[in-house]
C-alpha cells in the first residue's frame, strides 16, 4: 500500500475515479440482476426457476445450520466467561512468569464452562510468553471513552457514564469525552455539561468537546465528531506524558451501557494480545436498555443483530468492527483517526487500519456484552420508519466495498489470499443481505404461480412441495434454537407480567421472514441502489427515547 492512498471516495482523479464508480455500481447491479433474473426466469422458464430456487433453499439451509451451530458455540463461550474475574487476570499479567506457573498448577476441579475458559486462558498466556510481546503494567494503561452526542438527552447519556463508574477497573485511569456537535440544541449541550459536572470527580478527567460545524473536507457524520474529540484527547495525553501505546480508545454510541467488568475484560484482551497495537476489540452488542418497551418487530431485528455478531465472533480472521468497539489509540493516531466523510465509520475504521498496516490488522472478539437501545418512537408507524432508516444506514456500509477493493488493487504487500478472502466476504455479505430474504419469502413462490399446466405435469411439480416442506421443517429446528437463545439473552429484570412478555417475544420470532424482508433486505437493497445511482446518503441519527419510570 503506497502512502498516497486516501481512504475516501472524494477528490479522486483518472483511473481511481473510474474504478471507484465501477465498484460502487457492482453490488447493487448484482443484487438486482439476481432478483430480476430469477423473476423473469420464473415467467419464461418456470421449471428451471423452480430448480434454481430449490438449490438455493438447500444452500441457505446449510448456511443456516452452520450459523446456528456457531451461534450456540458462541453463546456457550459467552456464558462460560460471564463470571470470569477479569481484574484477577489483569493483575496476573503484571507478573507473567509467576502467574503462568500459578495457572498451570491450578486445580482441574472445574465445571465444564470454567474448564473451557481456563484452557483458553492458558493458551493465551502461552502465546504471549512465546512471542515475548509483554504488555505494559496495568497501572500504566489508560482508557479513553468517547460518546458522540447530537440529539441525545440527559436520560440517554447518564446511564452509560454511571456504568463506567461502577466498573472493576479503576475509573481513575479512564478519560471520558462527550463529543458534542456544535449544531446540537442548547438543551442537549446543557445536559452534557450537567453530566460532566456530576461525574467529573469519578474519572481521570471528564471533557466535553464541541465539534465545529462546516470544517472543510468533513461531512456531517459521526466520524468527523469523534475524530475531533480524539485529537483533543491526543493533546491531553501528550501534556500528561502518557504514551499512546498505553491507551485504549472506545468509541461508544451515546446509549451504550457497559457491564461492570467491561473495561477489565478489555484491558485483559489488550494486555494478552501479542499484536495489541494493531488490533481492535469487539464486544457482543445486545439491545436491552429498553427491550421491554420496544415494538415487537424492532426487538426481533435487534436480537438478530446480536446473534449475527455472536456468529461472527467465532471467526476472528474475518471479523470486522461493528457499532460500539475499542482499539489501540496508537493505531487510531497512526491511520489519521476515523474517516470524516463516511457514514459507516465503525466498519470503515477497520478497513482503513487493514489497508494502512498492509493486512496486518485484526479484530479480537470479546465474550462480554454491551447494552444499547432498541429503536423506538412515539407510535408504531414512526417506529417502522426509524427502524427502516437505521437498517438502511447500517447497510450503507456497502460504501466501504469500492474503497477497499481500490486499496487491494493498489497494495502489493497484502497477500492475494487475504484480498480474495476479505473482498469476497464483504461483497457476498452485502448481496446476501439485500437478496436472500426476498428470494425466500417472495420470489421463491413465483415459479408455481407462472407455470400453469406445463409445470403441473412435471416431476419437479410433485417434488418441489415435498422438498420445500423438508427444508422449512429443518429450518424450524434452527428457529427453535434461536428462540431459546433469545430467551436466554434477555435481561433478568423485574418487570410487570414478565412471563407473558417472554411468551410474546417468543411468538414474534415466527414473523421473522416478513420482518427481515421489509425491514432489513429492502433497506439494504435501497442502500445499494443509491450507491449504484450515485445518490449518496447523508448521516441520519437514530432517535433515542425511553419511557420515564413512574
Amino acid at each position: 500500500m503506497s502512502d498516497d492512498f486516501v481512504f475516501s471516495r472524494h477528490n479522486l482523479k483518472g483511473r481511481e475515479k473510474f474504478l471507484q464508480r465501477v465498484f460502487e455500481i457492482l453490488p447493487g447491479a448484482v443484487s438486482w440482476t439476481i432478483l430480476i433474473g430469477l423473476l423473469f426466469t420464473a415467467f419464461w422458464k418456470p421449471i428451471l426457476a423452480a430448480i434454481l430456487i430449490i438449490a438455493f433453499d438447500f444452500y441457505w439451509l446449510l448456511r443456516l445450520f452452520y450459523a446456528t451451530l456457531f451461534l450456540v458455540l458462541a453463546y456457550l463461550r459467552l456464558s462460560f466467561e460471564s463470571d470470569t474475574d477479569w481484574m484477577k487476570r489483569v493483575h496476573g499479567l503484571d507478573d507473567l512468569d509467576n502467574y503462568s506457573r500459578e495457572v498451570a498448577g491450578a486445580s482441574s476441579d472445574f465445571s465444564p464452562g470454567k474448564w473451557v475458559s481456563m484452557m483458553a486462558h492458558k493458551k493465551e498466556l502461552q502465546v504471549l510468553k512465546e512471542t515475548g510481546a509483554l504488555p505494559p503494567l496495568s497501572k500504566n494503561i489508560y482508557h479513553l471513552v468517547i460518546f458522540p452526542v447530537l440529539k441525545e438527552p440527559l436520560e440517554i447519556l447518564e446511564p452509560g457514564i454511571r456504568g463506567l463508574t461502577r466498573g472493576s477497573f479503576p475509573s481513575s485511569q479512564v478519560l471520558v469525552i462527550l463529543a458534542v456537535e456544535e449544531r446540537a440544541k442548547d438543551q442537549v449541550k446543557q445536559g452534557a455539561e450537567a453530566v460532566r459536572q456530576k461525574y467529573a470527580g469519578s474519572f481521570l478527567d471528564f471533557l466535553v468537546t464541541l465539534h465545529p460545524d462546516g470544517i472543510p473536507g468533513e461531512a456531517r457524520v459521526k466520524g468527523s465528531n469523534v475524530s475531533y474529540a480524539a485529537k483533543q484527547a491526543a493533546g491531553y495525553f501528550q501534556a500528561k506524558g502518557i504514551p499512546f501505546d498505553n491507551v485504549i480508545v472506545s468509541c461508544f454510541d451515546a446509549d451504550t451501557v457497559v457491564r461492570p467488568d467491561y473495561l477489565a475484560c478489555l484491558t485483559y484482551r489488550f494486555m494478552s494480545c501479542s499484536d495489541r497495537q494493531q488490533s481492535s476489540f469487539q464486544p457482543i452488542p445486545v439491545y436491552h436498555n429498553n427491550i421491554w418497551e420496544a415494538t415487537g418487530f424492532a426487538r426481533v431485528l435487534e436480537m438478530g443483530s446480536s446473534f449475527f455478531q455472536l456468529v461472527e465472533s467465532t471467526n476472528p480472521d474475518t471479523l470486522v468492527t461493528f457499532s460500539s468497539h475499542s482499539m489501540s489509540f496508537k493505531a487510531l493516531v497512526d491511520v489519521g483517526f476515523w474517516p470524516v466523510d463516511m457514514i459507516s465509520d465503525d466498519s470503515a475504521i477497520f478497513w482503513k487500519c487493514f489497508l494502512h498496516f498492509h493486512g496486518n490488522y485484526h479484530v479480537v472478539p470479546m465474550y462480554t456484552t454491551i447494552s444499547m437501545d432498541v429503536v423506538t418512537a412515539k407510535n408504531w408507524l414512526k417506529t417502522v420508519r426509524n427502524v427502516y432508516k437505521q437498517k438502511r444506514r447500517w447497510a450503507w456500509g456497502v460504501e466501504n466495498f469500492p474503497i477497499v477493493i481500490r486499496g487491494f488493487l493498489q497494495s502489493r504487500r497484502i497477500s492475494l489470499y487475504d484480498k480474495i478472502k476479505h473482498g469476497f466476504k464483504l461483497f457476498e455479505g452485502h448481496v446476501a443481505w439485500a437478496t436472500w430474504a426476498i428470494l425466500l419469502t417472495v420470489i421463491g413462490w413465483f415459479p408455481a404461480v407462472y407455470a400453469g399446466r406445463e409445470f403441473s405435469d412435471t416431476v419437479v411439480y410433485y417434488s418441489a412441495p415435498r422438498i420445500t416442506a423438508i427444508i422449512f421443517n429443518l429450518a424450524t429446528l434452527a428457529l427453535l434454537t434461536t428462540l431459546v437463545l433469545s430467551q436466554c439473552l434477555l435481561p433478568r429484570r423485574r418487570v410487570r407480567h414478565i412471563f407473558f412478555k417472554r411468551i410474546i417475544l417468543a411468538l414474534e420470532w415466527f414473523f421473522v421472514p416478513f420482518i427481515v424482508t421489509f425491514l432489513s433486505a429492502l433497506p439494504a437493497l435501497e442502500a445499494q441502489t443509491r450507491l449504484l445511482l450515485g445518490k449518496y446518503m447523508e448521516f441520519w441519527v437514530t432517535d433515542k427515547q425511553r419511557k420515564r419510570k413512574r
Side-chain angles (χ1 to χ4, degrees), residues 55-299:
F56 169 73
D57 287 346
F58 270 119
Y59 172 71
W60 169 78
L61 183 65
L62 292 175
R63 289 287 296 265
L64 181 64
F65 278 155
Y66 170 88
T68 303
L69 172 62
F70 283 94
L71 173 62
V72 172
L73 293 176
Y75 174 77
L76 290 175
R77 180 69 188 277
L78 181 65
S79 62
F80 293 162
E81 301 288 10
S82 61
D83 59 351
T84 298
D85 188 343
W86 294 109
M87 279 309 298
K88 180 180 179 180
R89 294 188 178 184
V90 166
H91 291 315
L93 291 179
D94 287 335
D95 186 7
L96 183 58
D97 289 335
N98 289 330
Y99 182 60
S100 296
R101 287 192 291 269
E102 177 187 334
V103 170
S107 170
S108 59
D109 185 21
F110 296 123
S111 66
K114 290 185 178 180
W115 183 84
V116 170
S117 176
M118 184 56 67
M119 289 300 101
H121 183 41
K122 288 181 178 180
K123 183 177 179 180
E124 290 159 356
L125 295 180
Q126 181 181 354
V127 171
L128 191 59
K129 290 191 68 175
E130 290 174 353
T131 58
L134 298 180
L137 296 176
S138 60
K139 66 180 181 180
N140 296 327
I141 293 177
Y142 293 84
H143 288 271
L144 166 63
V145 183
I146 303 176
F147 293 91
V149 180
L150 176 60
K151 301 193 297 185
E152 294 78 9
L154 183 126
E155 59 264 24
I156 295 294
L157 296 174
E158 188 170 6
I161 305 299
R162 186 168 58 244
L164 291 173
T165 66
R166 297 173 177 176
S168 53
F169 187 86
S171 58
S172 58
Q173 293 170 236
V174 180
L175 170 64
V176 177
I177 297 183
L178 293 183
V180 183
E181 290 282 9
E182 183 183 55
R183 65 182 185 273
K185 294 181 179 179
D186 289 340
Q187 183 180 0
V188 172
K189 296 176 183 177
Q190 292 166 4
E193 181 59 27
V195 172
R196 188 198 69 80
Q197 291 180 5
K198 183 175 181 179
Y199 292 98
S202 301
F203 301 100
L204 169 68
D205 213 331
F206 195 131
L207 308 179
V208 174
T209 60
L210 202 62
H211 175 231
D213 203 19
I215 295 178
E218 291 189 356
R220 286 187 166 186
V221 293
K222 187 180 76 174
S224 59
N225 184 12
V226 293
S227 291
Y228 180 84
K231 291 173 184 177
Q232 305 303 306
Y236 178 93
F237 289 128
Q238 287 176 329
K240 293 284 187 179
I242 298 174
F244 292 167
D245 306 60
N246 293 5
V247 179
I248 311 167
V249 56
S250 300
C251 184
F252 290 159
D253 289 348
D255 58 329
T256 301
V257 180
V258 300
R259 289 166 51 98
D261 62 354
Y262 177 80
L263 291 183
C265 177
L266 173 57
T267 306
Y268 170 76
R269 291 297 172 202
F270 177 80
M271 294 177 71
S272 63
C273 179
S274 59
D275 203 13
R276 63 187 68 88
Q277 300 302 338
Q278 292 175 205
S279 296
S280 289
F281 305 88
Q282 181 65 57
I284 306 299
V286 294
Y287 299 84
H288 288 169
N289 291 345
N290 62 339
I291 192 166
W292 300 116
E293 306 163 5
T295 308
F297 58 82
R299 275 198 297 258

